[in-house]
Each structure stands twice: as C-alpha cells, then as structure tokens.
Amino acid sequence: MRFSLRSVSHCGCRVGTLSCTRAVNDGENKEVETPLCTLYTKKGSAPYLSVDMLKRIEKLPHIANMHLSSLADYTEALNKFQHGVGQFTALQDFLVYISVHDTGIEIPSGYNTKAGTAVWNKAGKKLIEPQQFVKCQEAFRPTFYQALSDSDTDKNSGKKRAMKAVDRTLDFLDTILELHKKSERLRDVGVFGSVEGGFHEEARMRSARETAARNVDGFVIEGFYAQNEKNKQIDVEEIKDLCNKVFKILPEEKPRLMHAVWSPDQVVMALELGIDVFDSCYPWLVTERGGALVFSFQYDNNSENEREARSTDGFEISLKDKRYGTACLRTSEPLYLAALVTPVRILHGPTFTIS
C-alpha cells in the first residue's frame, strides 16, 4: 500500500490519498482520500444492518474495520474458504482493516504477556502469539492490519510498565514482519506498527523512533487508555502535546491511525493534530445506551465558546427522556420514542442505528 500526502493546512490537518491493493480481487488497486473514518463492524458485519440495507446508505466509509478478537475463532474456516474475510462477510466492496481489539468494548486489563496479546470474545480469553497472529492474517487476507501490540497502559501506568509495553510491541512487530515477508498470501497486505508508551514521553519517543525504523506501512497511535476503559471517550487535549512530539519523529509520508471513542468535536481537534484515519464506534455506543446524535456540521472555534464546543452535551440526547417523546418517521405518524426504547416494546438498537 502507498500513502501520498498532498497538503497540510495551516491548522495542521493533513489531506492525502491512500492507495491499496486488494490481493483477493486479482490485485485490484483502490484509492481513498484521507482523512477518513472506517466502517465499524461486529464479527465482520455492520451492527444491525443487513448487507442489502448497507448498500442503500450513501457515502459509506471505504474501509471496514474488523477485529482480531472477534474473528480469531474463525481462522480455520476462513483458511479453507481461501477468499478472505471481505468476501466471507459479503463486504468484498470494502477495503478491510484488521485491528487487534474492538474499541467499543471494555475488556479485562492485565493479561498481556511477553509471549503474546490477550484478546477477548464471548468464549473468554485467548492469548495470541505472533506466529499464530500471522496465520490468522493469512486466513483473513485483509487490505492491511495492525500488528500485535501491548496497549494496556494509561495515565496511571508507571514508567516501567510503559517501557515493558514498548519492548513487547517491538518484539511482536519484529517477529511479525519477518513472517509477513516470507508469506506469499500477505505479499500485497499492509502492516501498521503501533506506537505505545502510555503518557511517558521517553517511552513514547523510543516507541516512535523504533517503529519508524521498521518497514511498516503506517502507524497506530494507542496506549492512552487501559483495556478495561477502552470505550471511555477520548479527550484530545490530554494527549495533544505528547502526540505533537511523536509526530515530529514519524515520517510524514505514512498514514496515522488512531482508535478511540470520537465525539464530533474531538474528531475536529484530532484532524488538527494530524490524525489521518479514525474508527467509528461512537454512534454504536450512543445507540446501545438508547441515545441519538443531534448536531450540526458547523464548528465554532471561537475561544469564548471553547468550553461549550468541547462538551458532548450538545451532540447526544437520551431517547428514554420523555422530552423527546414525539417524532415523525417518514410515515408522518407521531411516535413516542421513549416507548420504543423500552425493552418490552421493541429493541432500540436496530431502530435507531438506521434512523
């Protein structure tokens, strides 16, 4: 894969083109413009949306984000299928990116080891070692994937723990790159290295320098939140200074991806920070708690409104609140949304994800 950085605005936003080769489609090349978000999926499917319904939605993201944690148990079946996880899930029209974890789900913290990374699904914990990880990717045949990493750190992690996360991640990356190079199936598949280190500048700088020195196609910026608080909404102000120092080390001609719970205002701030690719689990999380997104696409950067602009109160409403009881859904018949999200009446998820 190849990334072309076309311009950087005065505010720091990067505009570029990501060119990817889809190995399972006879080497078809596809270009997408950045910055962009990915399509959030559950076990390879958009939550609550059938493939037919998905095709009716305009301006969908070009990249589907699937997760190692939910797909690892299907490695044998996908290996026999031989056409990749995109076709297996009927998302062959999308580029496929495989991340290690699902950002929208909190998982137990403290189970990563020097041998591998712990991923979690309904069956429980599964320790994935680098050799097994590469076999999974050979079965999945994605467009690009995030290399195995230890991102289980946060602002409370000590320097020793942060350095251990960096060491483990670099060891995983070296093994994976060596195996990737020998794999015929992964010849046209991109690899993104992870930049770790928690909130410790020395660990972050080392992780950035060492990862940039490897033959990776892009970078995943993570390790700011422990695994048991993954779906905590991100605050870009907390990581801004540290990220700016990291980005001075990373080569400009390679894309930067970041997993987080992105509210609309935080996306704008992250664009100015220089992030190219985002995930999109935030609307799913809002839907799951019976809420709805209500915001305009007008961004006010007036310093007097800075505090209000960073508040999520203006982006989300709870449909369980009777203040939002009456609405019309195309049929012009008044409906009580508060009643719709009551479990005994109807499941709120399918209804309000597609509203």
Side-chain angles (χ1 to χ4, degrees), residues 278-294:
F278 307 81
D279 66 31
S280 58
C281 68
Y282 178 63
W284 177 79
L285 288 169
V286 172
T287 300
E288 285 296 295
R289 56 178 173 251
L293 294 176
V294 285

Side-chain angles (χ1 to χ4, degrees), residues 243-261:
C243 283
N244 281 329
K245 293 176 181 178
V246 166
F247 292 160
K248 289 179 180 179
I249 297 174
L250 300 181
E252 287 193 347
E253 67 276 8
K254 292 186 178 182
R256 306 159 184 170
L257 184 153
M258 190 167 179
H259 297 287
V261 179

Side-chain angles (χ1 to χ4, degrees), residues 195 212 263 307 329 355:
V195 177
S263 60
R307 179 178 298 179
L329 297 181
S355 294

